Amino acid sequence: MKIPHIPVLLEQVLESFNTDLAQRGGVLVDCTLGFGGHSEALLKAYPKLKIIGIDQDKNAIHFSLSRLKDFGERFESRFGRYSEVLGQLLRQDEMRQNLVGILADIGVSSLQFDDRERGFCFDSEQLDMRMNQERILDAKEIVNHYSLSQLEQIFRDFGEIREYKKLARLIVDSRKVQKFTSSKMLSDLIAKHFKHPKIHPATLAFQALRIAVNDELGELERLLYEIRENPLPDGARLSIISFHSLEDRLVKLAFKEWEKKCICDDGTMLCTCGNNHQKGKNLYKKPLCATESEVRTNPRSRSAKLRCFEFNRENK
């Protein structure tokens, strides 16, 4: 089988789950299955481990089921948004107690990015960007019909674009003449009016639209909420790979909150909460990043960051 994807931070992911729990067996949930690269490596590294892979892209599930068929009952897939499927799993007491880890590789996968029919890349003749093609909202709807203020908010909040007002106005004025029909049409327009010394001028705009179409930050927030409400067993770990500061900030703040023993208001003079609310510990003071050799082999890994949290009931 031809494998068209290199999973990012693979060695770091394997090390983040190198625990007695994983060695003995149990269940690990791969929230973002994609091509199955991380899942395959984990199944090989930990022979007693079972993995449940989640994806909202049926093409990804079909590919991974074929790729991982030799692992038999050690692998199973679930279709849907990872926050919803994981939430269902975590509310099953027996399942939650058997969990040894959760992995989430946030963002668009190479499966989607490299498929020109999906509209994620700059030269695509489509303007789509849906990870789940059964959903209604796509990038074409946003670009052609969202108001000026809505576009400004998307480019400001999700793309962190300095000239977000200029970009939104450019799109609104241009669509009065001709509606946008392709990603290429949009990226060509942006490249004509904006410059960037290191990346394609449309990179941040496409990032912002993709996040808006797929509600990526909302999905990550819901994932963290489900885990906060249903903490994992002793020694179980949560590893999250993010690709830009917005995602990483959410993970960092969540881990910081989960490490707190006291949850009283900052202005409280005397602790009244019991001082026993710590869910575990953040394993890495700084996120793990790709090595120089990995970046040379897989340039998309250059912005990847991995954070890992280990749960410990004794600290609660």
Side-chain angles (χ1 to χ4, degrees):
M1 176 179 251
K2 183 179 179 181
I3 308 298
H5 171 61
I6 304 173
V8 299
L9 304 182
L10 183 57
E11 294 303 318
Q12 294 89 331
V13 166
L14 293 176
E15 180 59 30
S16 73
F17 292 112
N18 186 11
T19 65
D20 291 340
L21 288 182
Q23 297 287 354
R24 292 198 302 266
V27 179
L28 186 145
V29 178
D30 184 349
C31 290
T32 46
L33 178 61
F35 276 121
H38 286 123
S39 284
E40 181 181 52
L42 286 162
L43 288 166
K44 289 180 178 179
Y46 306 109
K48 296 182 180 180
L49 193 66
K50 177 180 178 178
I51 289 183
I52 297 176
I54 304 170
D55 211 292
Q56 59 179 323
D57 188 327
K58 290 185 176 179
N59 291 334
I61 289 180
H62 178 75
F63 185 96
S64 292
L65 281 173
S66 178
R67 177 178 186 174
L68 304 175
K69 65 181 184 298
D70 291 342
F71 292 99
E73 295 182 354
R74 292 180 58 208
F75 173 77
E76 65 177 86
S77 65
R78 303 284 178 90
F79 171 75
R81 297 182 75 98
Y82 59 74
S83 68
E84 295 175 2
V85 178
L86 181 66
Q88 295 168 4
L89 294 173
L90 291 178
R91 285 188 286 275
Q92 301 172 21
D93 290 339
E94 183 177 356
M95 172 62 71
R96 190 173 71 250
Q97 293 305 315
N98 286 325
L99 281 176
V100 302
I102 297 173
L103 171 66
D105 181 358
I106 308 300
V108 64
S109 73
S110 293
L111 171 70
Q112 296 153 340
F113 190 86
D114 293 336
D115 185 350
R116 295 186 63 192
E117 296 301 314
R118 302 295 292 272
F120 288 97
C121 53
F122 303 129
D123 59 348
S124 173
E125 294 302 324
Q126 308 299 322
L127 185 52
D128 193 325
M129 301 191 191
R130 289 174 297 171
M131 294 180 182
N132 181 353
Q133 292 183 298
E134 295 183 359
R135 295 178 66 84
I136 297 174
L137 181 65
D138 59 14
K140 184 184 292 185
E141 174 69 19
I142 292 177
V143 170
N144 286 315
H145 299 289
Y146 271 31
S147 67
L148 176 65
S149 61
Q150 287 176 309
L151 289 174
E152 287 178 350
Q153 182 179 5
I154 287 172
F155 294 134
R156 180 193 66 211
D157 296 347
F158 299 157
E160 298 181 309
I161 298 172
R162 182 177 300 178
E163 295 181 280
Y164 66 90
K165 290 187 176 182
K166 175 184 175 182
L167 176 57
R169 172 53 66 186
L170 175 66
I171 290 174
V172 169
D173 289 344
S174 297
R175 74 190 187 191
K176 292 177 182 177
V177 179
Q178 183 179 6
K179 296 293 187 182
F180 290 91
T181 59
S182 69
S183 292
K184 185 178 187 304
M185 183 178 174
L186 178 61
S187 65
D188 285 349
L189 177 71
I190 296 174
K192 182 179 179 181
H193 293 271
F194 295 87
K195 303 298 178 185
H196 196 288
K198 295 183 179 180
I199 58 178
H200 190 288
T203 299
L204 296 179
F206 272 51
Q207 169 189 292
L209 289 170
R210 192 198 75 223
I211 290 174
V213 167
N214 299 287
D215 189 23
E216 292 179 35
L217 297 180
E219 183 70 353
L220 177 56
E221 288 176 330
R222 290 187 288 271
L223 170 78
L224 295 169
Y225 171 82
E226 292 289 353
I227 295 171
R228 185 192 73 194
E229 295 300 304
N230 303 280
L232 276 59
D234 283 358
R237 293 181 176 181
L238 167 65
S239 291
I240 299 181
I241 300 173
S242 61
F243 286 85
H244 57 75
S245 60
L246 298 172
E247 298 166 342
D248 184 57
R249 190 180 305 138
L250 287 174
V251 178
K252 180 181 179 180
L253 291 175
F255 286 7
K256 183 178 180 180
E257 185 69 23
W258 296 352
E259 281 190 307
K260 288 183 178 179
K261 293 182 179 180
C262 175
I263 58 173
C264 294
D265 293 336
D266 292 338
T268 303
M269 297 295 293
L270 181 65
C271 175
T272 58
C273 72
N275 199 35
N276 63 346
H277 294 273
Q278 185 177 8
K279 292 178 170 60
K281 60 181 179 180
N282 184 358
L283 289 185
Y284 311 129
K285 290 184 178 180
K286 294 183 178 181
L288 303 184
C289 300
T291 62
E292 291 183 4
S293 60
E294 179 178 359
V295 172
R296 286 196 297 270
T297 304
N298 181 16
R300 292 178 185 171
S301 68
R302 64 182 179 272
S303 57
K305 295 180 179 180
L306 184 148
R307 294 185 185 272
C308 185
F309 191 90
E310 182 176 82
F311 291 81
N312 186 345
R313 291 186 182 276
E314 294 179 359
N315 291 327
K316 294 177 187 176

